[in-house]
Amino acid sequence: MTYQIPRGTADLLPDDSPAWQALEQHLKDFCYLYDFREIRTPIFEHTNVFKRENDSSDMVNKEMYTFTLPGSKTSLTIRPEGTAGVVRSFVENKLYASPDLPAKLYYLGPMARHERPQKGRLRIFNQFGVESLGAKSPYADAEVMVLAYSILKSLGLSDIRILLNTLGDDESRSAYRQALKDYFAPYVQDLCGDCKRRYEQNPLRILDCKVDHDLDCMKHAPKMSDYLNEESRTYFRTVCEILDRLEIPYEVEEDLVRGLDYYTHTVFEIVSLNREMGAQSTVLAGGRYDNLIPYFGGPEGMSGIGWALGLERLLIALQAEGISLQEAAGVDCYVMVLDEQARLFAFEVLTALRAAGYQADMDFQGRGLKGQFKAADRAHAKHVLIIGTREFEQQAVTVKNVADQTQETVQAEALIEYLDGQEAAGEHGHHHEGHEEGCQCEACRGE
Ligand code: ATP
Ligand code: MG
């Protein structure tokens, strides 16, 4: 019997987790700057949260992991995206009643879609996303886009481009929808099976088809911009003006309709131009939704905007540009035990080190001198703490500073003070419990 991970899923192994943690922390730090706060919603919801009336998207129609437990009538779906659950929660918890809107929220976690797995396309992948709910203002649109762009820029990505478009309000979109129906009527039989369905359900989505993309009839299809009413036009113009003023580069791409049905007005993507990204070049995508909050029972006319980025795709984009997030990992101290009788003493020393804020580890396998030195090396230890028979008898520790190869035997009770002194002398900051390197508190700055 063998056991294997399901197709299209991945384990995050400890060698890769520092990069993920650094990335997640970076994203959270940016949200803090912009005053977006975290929301966590369940990884499954009632199916109707995602599968809304008349939704024509592939995600909803073909990619959802939907299940009903034996003996139950309740259909549940593992979340394929974050927005629907966040909006459901925003309404259910009446966050819309706050005097301070928009509610600015972010989320982070796994999503599940039954797709054909390939590079940058998994069946369980991780998204980080933001939603700004309850204020319809071009400034709210600009805020989330500036946040998105700033995050990607700050990570060092340079081969990126913002693609921007508007789908207009309901009136504009239904005029456009009619125009597309009229236009595509003679071509329907040439379109793929999905597009035949889209033609009936939501002809806008035909423009997003990856199969029919190169057909001649696609090139001459009517443009959204010719069907925008005055209000939609003005809204979009203002969004563009704000981005211009802030010197955020973007390109208006009239074919951009996005993969989800709920979008209105502003839609955008950030793509990586790096060739290694292949077909999966979209790192981040989002847009405004005028109808989703009312759909879930929230106030009529209340609108939101958000985006999501795929962490796996972002990491591929970073790698393609040669950007590494992984800091050189290395423990502060590795404790070597050279006499079994000294093990309890050594364990006590190890625990004291950790209590003082030193990242520390020791041998648990009873290896010999050579084996333990190798282990300390693999752990990139800054200090190797040797405890042999002599040290045990004296209740002392021999501290070897790996960088300058000096060594000194110090009494166990004076060990922390000794290490603090070494740290202060060296370039590495300090260790106060609960304070991290670079901490700006008075005690830390005073060092
Ligand atoms: P695509 O056109 O690539 O299928 P989408 O329109 O389905 O994307 P969204 O639902 O807007 O994508 O999701 C936002 C982001 O989440 C994408 O830009 C991408 O970075 C990431 N993403 C979406 N689907 C997957 C997947 N199956 N595997 C990995 N990342 C994904
Ligand atoms: Mg998709």
Side-chain angles (χ1 to χ4, degrees):
M1 178 78 94
T2 61
Y3 296 97
Q4 282 180 330
I5 195 168
R7 206 162 105 80
T9 70
D11 295 315
L12 174 59
L13 299 175
D15 277 351
D16 292 327
S17 61
W20 279 77
Q21 289 179 347
L23 180 56
E24 288 169 5
Q25 193 55 51
H26 190 83
L27 297 166
K28 290 175 183 175
D29 289 347
F30 258 92
C31 285
Y32 176 81
L33 278 181
Y34 282 68
D35 200 18
F36 280 68
R37 298 187 299 158
E38 186 177 16
I39 183 166
R40 298 188 193 189
T41 60
I43 62 162
F44 59 71
E45 297 268 359
H46 288 124
T47 298
N48 66 5
V49 169
F50 305 113
K51 193 177 178 68
R52 292 173 300 274
E53 284 158 34
N54 249 325
D55 194 303
S56 67
S57 69
D58 284 356
M59 187 192 83
V60 169
N61 288 285
K62 301 199 298 198
E63 298 172 0
M64 297 208 306
Y65 284 91
T66 296
F67 60 96
T68 307
L69 290 180
S72 162
K73 289 197 184 71
T74 309
S75 175
L76 298 168
T77 294
I78 306 177
R79 62 181 184 196
E81 56 120 359
T83 304
V86 170
V87 174
R88 192 266 313 138
S89 176
F90 172 79
V91 173
E92 190 170 346
N93 294 292
K94 299 193 171 56
L95 301 185
Y96 56 74
S98 162
D100 301 307
L101 294 172
K104 301 201 292 183
L105 309 171
Y106 76 81
Y107 59 85
L108 171 68
M111 307 293 160
R113 298 185 195 178
H114 191 261
E115 307 211 57
R116 198 167 65 78
Q118 48 198 293
K119 186 180 178 189
R121 191 174 292 286
L122 292 113
R123 290 181 171 172
I124 294 182
F125 59 99
N126 290 276
Q127 277 188 345
F128 178 88
V130 305
E131 309 293 344
S132 172
L133 302 161
K136 188 166 178 186
S137 158
Y139 285 93
D141 298 48
E143 183 182 42
V144 298
M145 281 191 272
V146 174
L147 172 57
Y149 186 72
S150 305
I151 285 174
L152 299 183
K153 272 291 168 189
S154 70
L155 288 166
L157 286 179
S158 55
D159 280 359
I160 56 170
R161 184 168 290 176
I162 303 183
L163 307 178
L164 183 63
N165 193 20
T166 180
L167 302 177
D169 60 8
D170 291 341
E171 184 186 83
S172 310
R173 236 177 22 271
S174 67
Y176 184 46
R177 194 173 298 205
Q178 193 52 52
L180 287 173
K181 280 210 137 173
D182 296 345
Y183 172 81
F184 278 113
Y187 304 110
V188 183
Q189 71 270 20
D190 309 331
L191 300 176
C192 74
D194 282 330
C195 280
K196 290 192 176 83
R197 171 175 54 79
R198 291 168 185 144
Y199 179 81
E200 296 303 331
Q201 280 188 311
N202 182 2
L204 252 80
R205 310 241 348 108
I206 295 174
L207 303 175
D208 194 34
C209 180
K210 282 159 189 143
V211 179
D212 292 339
H213 188 261
D214 294 325
L215 293 183
D216 259 356
C217 65
M218 299 293 260
K219 296 191 183 84
H220 304 109
K223 295 282 182 221
M224 179 78 233
S225 54
D226 293 330
Y227 295 86
L228 292 173
N229 59 19
E230 198 46 45
E231 203 187 318
S232 303
R233 207 179 290 278
T234 306
Y235 193 93
F236 189 56
R237 199 185 307 123
T238 312
V239 171
C240 293
E241 280 166 6
I242 300 168
L243 296 177
D244 288 338
R245 178 74 164 261
L246 298 175
E247 296 182 12
I248 306 285
Y250 61 89
E251 277 168 37
V252 175
E253 180 140 325
E254 290 214 62
D255 291 340
L256 187 72
V257 296
R258 297 296 313 130
L260 301 167
D261 264 7
Y262 50 61
Y263 289 123
T264 53
H265 289 284
T266 316
V267 289
F268 56 96
E269 283 187 1
I270 301 185
V271 296
S272 165
L273 303 179
N274 198 290
R275 302 171 85 215
E276 281 179 48
M277 299 296 289
Q280 274 61 251
S281 62
T282 306
V283 172
L284 180 153
R288 179 165 283 286
Y289 36 84
D290 279 350
N291 302 319
L292 212 47
I293 295 171
Y295 185 91
F296 282 108
E300 265 325 298
M302 189 176 268
S303 174
I305 184 165
W307 52 255
L309 69 79
L311 287 165
E312 288 83 359
R313 276 199 210 167
L314 176 52
L315 285 164
I316 294 172
L318 288 166
Q319 198 174 32
E321 291 197 35
I323 299 163
S324 157
L325 294 171
Q326 210 157 338
E327 289 165 40
V331 298
D332 296 316
C333 303
Y334 189 89
V335 179
M336 289 177 43
V337 197
L338 301 178
D339 180 339
E340 269 313 305
Q341 284 188 72
R343 183 165 295 277
L344 181 55
F345 169 59
F347 195 68
E348 226 182 327
V349 168
L350 176 72
T351 304
L353 285 166
R354 291 166 171 173
Y358 285 95
Q359 189 198 14
D361 208 349
M362 71 182 269
D363 169 76
F364 286 87
Q365 294 167 276
R367 287 174 290 203
L369 178 81
K370 218 168 136 194
Q372 291 190 53
F373 261 121
K374 279 187 181 160
D377 206 39
R378 284 192 297 272
H380 303 290
K382 299 186 190 96
H383 301 280
V384 179
L385 276 50
I386 304 159
I387 300 178
T389 313
R390 189 173 55 90
E391 283 87 357
F392 174 50
E393 281 165 358
Q394 297 171 4
Q395 295 287 289
V397 180
T398 297
V399 182
K400 183 169 168 184
N401 183 324
V402 176
D404 61 18
Q405 292 290 309
T406 56
Q407 83 178 42
E408 203 167 325
T409 302
V410 296
Q411 286 303 118
E413 63 214 24
L415 176 64
I416 302 301
E417 206 183 323
Y418 174 78
L419 288 171
D420 284 350
Q422 288 236 319
E423 290 274 302
E427 57 193 3
H428 303 290
H430 59 274
H431 290 267
H432 291 292
E433 228 170 328
H435 297 235
E436 307 214 324
E437 207 165 302
C439 172
Q440 288 300 307
C441 85
E442 226 173 284
C444 297
R445 271 183 300 155
E447 281 211 340

